[in-house]
Amino acid sequence: MATYHALVVLASACMLIFLGTTTEATSTTHPYASFIHLASVGAWFGISFWVTFVAGVLLFKYLPRHQFGSVQGKIFPYYFALSLVLTSLALASWVHLEGGLDLLAAIKSGNEDGKVVACLGGAALLSALQLLVLGPCVTKAMEARNKKEKEEGFADTTSKVGRSPELLQLGAEFARMHGLSSTANLLVFLGALFQLYVLSAKHVTFATMAPTVAKATFWPWS
């Protein structure tokens, strides 16, 4: 618990450092801002891809159902915390590299920077929602369902035949919360994919990102 709370504090501190040292009146950027942006987006995409499409699938395939849920319940708080840190760093470093954007004004404008800010900001907010709300709710619902399944002798089967109405209700609640969390996770992953496309469309290198990000020559919405 303390570890991923510390990561959240780290993300907040990094955002304040970046956003507080860049204004619209100056194009001066932190010497490592481009590296931090590329590293945060790359790590964000990497952990999202691994947890969603590799580790999760393999654990589900090879572990007993209840054990799989317990392992995921231990992994996800750290996964969501890292997602929050990385998306926050990606957002803050992008704003920093662009010379200090007005976030709300950029989003309302609907231009390229606005779409990027909306994507990165949305991913950060969803990561925070996962960490603070959806993740704990999924774990709580899973533990309640698993406990009732053990009491009724359904720990090793997914069959609904013979289950009590209470157990069916607990299963439905878990499915609902898990569906919301999975949807949020997929959106965060798509956010990373989108930002990678943005960077590739801008032909980004360390040289072209600093002191300001090169303007795109091709955008999917242009």
Side-chain angles (χ1 to χ4, degrees):
M1 183 72 70
T3 301
Y4 65 78
H5 283 170
L7 291 173
V8 174
V9 172
L10 174 63
S12 302
C14 291
M15 287 190 70
L16 289 174
I17 290 171
F18 273 121
L19 299 180
T21 56
T22 307
T23 65
E24 294 180 359
T26 178
S27 61
T28 302
T29 60
H30 192 283
Y32 299 115
S34 59
F35 170 78
I36 289 173
H37 185 75
L38 291 174
S40 60
V41 173
W44 165 20
F45 174 81
I47 66 168
S48 295
F49 182 86
W50 177 262
V51 171
T52 304
F53 300 107
V54 181
V57 173
L58 293 176
L59 289 173
F60 180 77
K61 182 177 180 180
Y62 292 109
L63 289 180
R65 193 162 56 92
H66 283 188
Q67 187 178 354
F68 164 73
S70 297
V71 171
Q72 293 288 75
K74 299 297 183 182
I75 292 174
F76 276 4
Y78 295 95
Y79 168 56
F80 296 147
L82 281 172
S83 292
L84 177 56
V85 170
L86 294 170
T87 52
S88 298
L89 282 173
L91 173 61
S93 55
W94 178 271
V95 172
H96 183 83
L97 287 163
E98 287 289 352
L101 294 172
D102 183 325
L103 300 184
L104 292 179
I107 293 173
K108 290 179 180 179
S109 70
N111 60 18
E112 292 89 345
D113 284 330
K115 290 180 173 65
V116 171
V117 168
C119 171
L120 297 178
L125 288 175
L126 283 174
S127 296
L129 182 66
Q130 289 273 60
L131 176 64
L132 301 174
V133 180
L134 294 179
C137 286
V138 171
T139 300
K140 182 179 179 180
M142 177 194 67
E143 290 174 347
R145 184 206 62 180
N146 289 355
K147 180 180 179 181
K148 190 64 176 175
E149 282 185 342
K150 290 179 180 178
E151 292 175 356
E152 297 188 10
F154 289 97
D156 299 321
T157 178
T158 58
S159 174
K160 294 184 178 181
V161 178
R163 295 187 177 220
S164 67
E166 181 183 357
L167 180 53
L168 291 174
Q169 183 177 359
L170 289 172
E173 175 64 15
F174 169 74
R176 184 175 70 88
M177 297 308 304
H178 185 266
L180 290 173
S181 181
S182 297
T183 300
N185 182 64
L186 180 60
L187 290 174
V188 171
F189 171 75
L190 291 176
L193 197 62
F194 171 80
Q195 187 62 8
L196 285 177
Y197 175 80
V198 167
L199 295 176
S200 67
K202 285 176 174 285
H203 308 291
V204 168
T205 65
F206 291 110
T208 60
M209 281 192 75
T212 57
V213 179
K215 295 301 178 182
T217 56
F218 169 76
W219 290 86
W221 50 78
S222 60

